[in-house]
Amino acid sequence: MEDEQIVTSSTSQNSFNGSSSDRTNKALIAVIVVLLIFLVGGGAYFLGTKQSGNSTSVTPTPTTSLQTLNDIVTQQPLAQPTSTPSVTAKPTTKTTPTPTSTPSVKSKTITSTASLDGFRSNNNGGNAGVDIRAGRNMYLVSRGFVSFDLNDIPSGSTITEASLRLYQIKTIGSPYSVGGKLMVDDMNYGTTLENDDYSTSAITSNLVSLTANTTVEWKDAIVTEAVKKDLAEGRTRAQYRLHFETEAKGGDSAGDFAYFESADNSEGSGNLPQLVVKYY
């Protein structure tokens, strides 16, 4: 049993020594291979660098002689500037517009019709032969009326302006304090002035205000559109009714009234009612 153990131990030692020798040999071989690689690579790099240096050459830059430059300049003459022809502008012809003729505006003053102006009251009273009046007293309320014949306006005329003018001759009491403004209605009461015209429906109620003060003077109101409408609708008269904004019986028997001259010239002023029409 002891002899077998000795043999086994010797064999193991020999195996260990063999393995160590193999590793040493492999390391030497690896070092040699690395050195060979460096030698081969270095030689190749050296040879390549030398060949590259030998193949590089400098090409001389050609020079141009002064004589050659002179020849070029002599053979190619400088371009001469060309003159640009001047253009003379042609005068433009201006067209003068033909002036349009301005129509000549005419003015016509029409006096009221005596038989169709005056006043009417809500008690069926009134008068067409005295003054034109509007106002009230303790018994009644009155309204004034005035009419103008339009036949003197040429057919087909264009109306540019129409103005109603009444001359306030006097006042009694305080008509404008109790009644306010004196208003104008556009009317069509025809060829006679009747009691019913006090309340007849107007074409246009409160067309315009005539006045609001007691000053004795001409009172004017623009009635252009009303006259245009009268002519357009074939009426031959321009007729108007006067009344205060506020109408109610009151005061005393003398009352509060505004009086205007009529075509009868009953107050003797000579300032008869007018309708001034401008047209062409």
Side-chain angles (χ1 to χ4, degrees), residues 6-261:
I6 293 171
V7 172
T8 302
S9 175
S10 175
T11 303
S12 298
Q13 182 66 38
N14 290 335
S15 298
F16 173 78
N17 291 335
S19 297
S20 176
S21 177
D22 291 340
R23 284 195 297 271
T24 301
N25 291 336
K26 289 180 180 180
L28 289 174
I29 293 170
V31 170
I32 293 170
V33 171
V34 171
L35 289 175
L36 288 175
I37 290 172
F38 273 106
L39 289 174
V40 173
Y45 175 79
F46 175 78
L47 291 175
T49 303
K50 185 176 182 180
Q51 289 178 356
S52 175
N54 292 336
S55 62
T56 302
S57 61
V58 179
T59 303
T61 302
T63 60
T64 303
S65 65
L66 181 60
Q67 181 62 38
T68 302
L69 291 175
N70 289 335
D71 292 342
I72 293 173
V73 173
T74 303
Q75 293 174 5
Q76 298 181 2
L78 296 176
Q80 297 297 322
T82 59
S83 60
T84 303
S86 60
V87 178
T88 303
K90 295 182 179 180
T92 57
T93 303
K94 293 184 178 180
T95 303
T96 303
T98 303
T100 57
S101 59
T102 302
S104 177
V105 177
K106 299 177 181 179
S107 180
K108 182 73 174 179
T109 300
I110 305 170
T111 302
S112 68
T113 303
S115 62
L116 294 176
D117 62 13
F119 70 93
R120 285 292 180 268
S121 302
N122 62 349
N123 66 347
N124 292 324
N127 197 313
V130 291
D131 52 70
I132 299 169
R133 72 180 69 168
R136 61 90 184 258
N137 63 20
M138 60 188 301
Y139 305 109
L140 53 80
V141 175
S142 297
R143 294 176 173 180
F145 292 83
V146 63
S147 177
F148 301 91
D149 192 334
L150 296 177
N151 285 314
D152 287 340
I153 304 298
S155 177
S157 297
T158 298
I159 307 300
T160 61
E161 184 179 281
S163 178
L164 171 65
R165 307 190 73 223
L166 298 178
Y167 190 78
Q168 181 168 266
I169 194 70
K170 64 181 179 181
T171 60
I172 292 177
S174 302
Y176 296 102
S177 296
V178 299
K181 296 177 182 178
L182 187 64
M183 304 304 296
V184 179
D185 293 341
D186 183 21
M187 299 291 293
N188 180 25
Y189 54 86
T191 58
T192 59
L193 179 57
E194 306 290 343
N195 291 333
D196 290 343
D197 294 327
Y198 174 90
S199 57
T200 297
S201 297
I203 297 172
T204 304
S205 297
N206 299 319
L207 175 68
V208 66
S209 169
L210 180 65
T211 184
N213 63 69
T214 61
T215 305
V216 175
E217 62 183 358
W218 283 103
K219 306 296 185 180
D220 298 84
I222 299 299
V223 292
T224 306
E225 295 305 316
V227 172
K228 285 182 177 180
K229 188 172 183 179
D230 288 333
L231 293 172
E233 296 180 0
R235 288 187 286 274
T236 59
R237 298 177 185 85
Q239 298 179 321
Y240 305 99
R241 180 172 63 196
L242 312 180
H243 65 89
F244 281 98
E245 288 179 303
T246 301
E247 294 180 303
K249 292 186 294 183
D252 54 23
S253 58
D256 305 286
F257 290 93
Y259 294 83
F260 297 85
E261 189 67 272

